[in-house]
Amino acid sequence: MLTFEQKLAVIEEFNELTKKEISLGRVNFHYEDSLYDKKNVVYHLHPNGNGFVYTGLLDEYPSDEKGMLNIKDYRADHLRAVITRSIESLSLSPSEKDPVMEEWINDADYGLVLMREEDGYNVYAEENLEGTFNSYKEAANFLEQEGFYKI
């Protein structure tokens, strides 16, 4: 297990994080450029070595109900990796994290493109916007009802 000082040294390698001292000798590290309301990457790093990293947007790490992963027993390389992934998860929009660009066609060979953009899904006929939807399922249902199928 890394000591508090060793964990601090690893975390301070990330220039994009801002250190915030809080009570009882604990520190937080914020990512001010986050695209989300969440800015804490490292939360409540305690002098006893306990602390948390935000992994709420990551499937590959377990997290508690607040989206936090306990890093008490983490090695330096694992700590670097989870902090890197946490920052990446807060840096990318949903469309950048999970891009969608699909071609759909109907029996008359007329084609449409379904794309994920920002927080929604748009259907285009060439450069003209044909529809905007809140979810992939809504967009796909619309296309299917209009006689289109994914190619």
Side-chain angles (χ1 to χ4, degrees), residues 113-133:
V113 175
L114 171 59
M115 292 178 62
R116 184 172 188 178
E117 298 180 319
E118 298 307 317
D119 290 334
Y121 294 83
N122 292 325
V123 174
Y124 291 94
E126 296 186 14
E127 294 168 9
N128 297 323
L129 180 64
E130 294 293 320
T132 298
F133 304 89

Side-chain angles (χ1 to χ4, degrees), residues 4 8 12 17-21 26-30:
F4 174 74
L8 263 181
E12 288 174 341
L17 298 180
T18 305
K19 184 178 180 179
K20 306 280 185 179
E21 295 188 19
R26 297 175 298 175
V27 293
N28 289 343
F29 285 84
H30 292 191

Side-chain angles (χ1 to χ4, degrees), residues 44-71:
H44 284 188
L45 183 63
H46 193 279
N48 70 8
N50 200 17
F52 302 89
V53 170
Y54 180 70
T55 57
L57 298 174
L58 301 170
D59 293 333
E60 67 263 33
Y61 293 98
S63 58
D64 65 15
E65 64 281 350
K66 294 180 184 178
M68 296 294 179
L69 171 70
N70 190 299
I71 57 166

